[in-house]
Amino acid sequence: MRNVPIAELEDLDRPVLAIGTDYPPGHLLPRHRHRRAQLLYGATGVMRVETADGDWTVPAHRAVLVPAGTDHQVLMDGVTTRSLYLEPRAVPWFPDRCRVVEVSPLLRELLLAAVDVAPEYDPAGRDGALIELVLHEIRSLAPLPFDLPLPRHPGLRRLCERFATAPDVHDPGARWAAELHVGERTFSRLFPAQTGLSFHAWRQRACALHAVRSLATGRTVTSVAAELGYGNPAAFTTMVKRETGSAPSAFRP
């Protein structure tokens, strides 16, 4: 199925529904939720998923797992998706919060094939076997560190969201503490309590994920490194590899 709203099919008596959708550049899916769990795979472009808990960057050829009933919005930049909508009882092992995952070559081919499966496929036939194999592959997907935790504290969340839009690797925690009208020691306790990461680790992660999105648009390593405040591309490359497990070149189209 292609370019069909899930709302038209969600209640069909099948454990998995597969839909392929094409989105224009800069398309925003406003905050919504699904009764089913979702595997959202980007065949092209880059996606950015946001929930109350955080922000997930999904480069091309990766996927994000979205638990059933999770409020989320998705910003699409030149994206063609392959989505699987999964009955919760069929995936009791699904994570309880969003997770970006690596997609194996086998699963990629299965996703491409699954969108051509009829919605009311025969569970005992070839299509049913394909869907069962899809479920086996999803269960073994490796998670990727492409999540940016966001705090519930209103003032701190506002600063985090602003930083994620235009990050600077040298932005000091002291400035954040001053904007929140708290001491630096209080800030150093508040930040990990709210995000699970130290300020330094969170700042590095935010820079890396901004870099992934920028590189996916075709920008050069040198220009992205300079934008983030790195004095030379080598230091920037080291940071991206440490944070994502891949060199910057892996995210360029």
Side-chain angles (χ1 to χ4, degrees):
M1 297 174 285
R2 299 176 189 273
N3 298 308
V4 177
I6 181 58
E8 296 181 8
L9 305 165
E10 195 167 33
D11 292 327
L12 285 178
D13 184 23
R14 294 296 183 273
V16 180
L17 298 171
I19 300 176
T21 309
D22 304 315
Y23 293 98
H27 183 75
L28 176 67
L29 286 177
R31 196 166 293 271
H32 63 288
R33 63 169 62 187
H34 306 294
R35 183 184 63 77
R36 293 171 178 251
Q38 182 184 17
L39 179 146
L40 180 59
Y41 167 75
T44 61
V46 63
M47 297 180 286
R48 189 171 180 180
V49 178
E50 184 178 326
T51 75
D53 295 323
D55 184 308
W56 288 261
T57 294
V58 192
H61 309 305
R62 283 83 169 178
V64 59
L65 305 181
V66 183
T70 299
D71 287 321
H72 62 291
Q73 70 175 28
V74 188
L75 179 62
M76 310 278 192
D77 195 355
V79 173
T80 296
T81 67
R82 300 292 182 266
S83 276
L84 300 179
Y85 295 92
L86 312 150
E87 279 287 357
R89 66 176 181 274
V91 288
W93 35 263
F94 216 72
D96 58 7
R97 67 193 302 268
C98 291
R99 177 185 298 170
V100 178
V101 291
E102 192 70 70
V103 174
S104 68
L106 173 58
L107 180 57
R108 190 173 303 131
E109 294 303 318
L110 290 171
L111 291 170
L112 297 177
V115 298
D116 292 324
V117 169
E120 297 184 83
Y121 57 85
D122 178 4
R126 175 189 177 277
D127 290 342
L130 185 151
I131 295 300
E132 284 298 318
L133 183 53
V134 165
L135 290 173
H136 279 291
E137 285 296 300
I138 295 173
R139 190 168 189 172
S140 61
L141 292 178
L144 295 171
F146 290 169
D147 62 300
L148 186 67
L150 292 175
R152 298 296 182 108
H153 183 287
L156 185 56
R157 186 174 182 115
R158 175 177 53 81
L159 292 177
C160 286
E161 289 177 340
R162 188 171 73 192
F163 181 88
T165 301
D168 176 354
V169 71
H170 301 299
D171 194 12
R175 185 188 67 79
W176 291 51
E179 284 211 34
L180 291 173
H181 305 291
V182 299
E184 291 184 47
R185 287 189 177 182
T186 299
F187 176 76
S188 67
R189 292 192 298 269
L190 174 66
F191 202 94
Q194 287 281 316
T195 67
L197 296 174
S198 69
F199 173 71
H200 175 77
W202 187 95
R203 186 181 62 185
Q204 290 277 92
R205 178 79 61 87
C207 286
L209 296 181
H210 181 85
V212 167
R213 296 189 295 271
S214 297
L215 292 165
T217 67
R219 292 182 57 190
T220 66
V221 169
T222 300
S223 68
V224 178
E227 178 186 45
L228 293 174
Y230 283 89
N232 62 78
F236 167 77
T237 296
T238 298
M239 181 275 292
V240 172
K241 289 179 70 174
R242 182 175 62 247
E243 290 291 328
T244 71
S246 299
S249 58
F251 303 109
R252 301 193 74 230

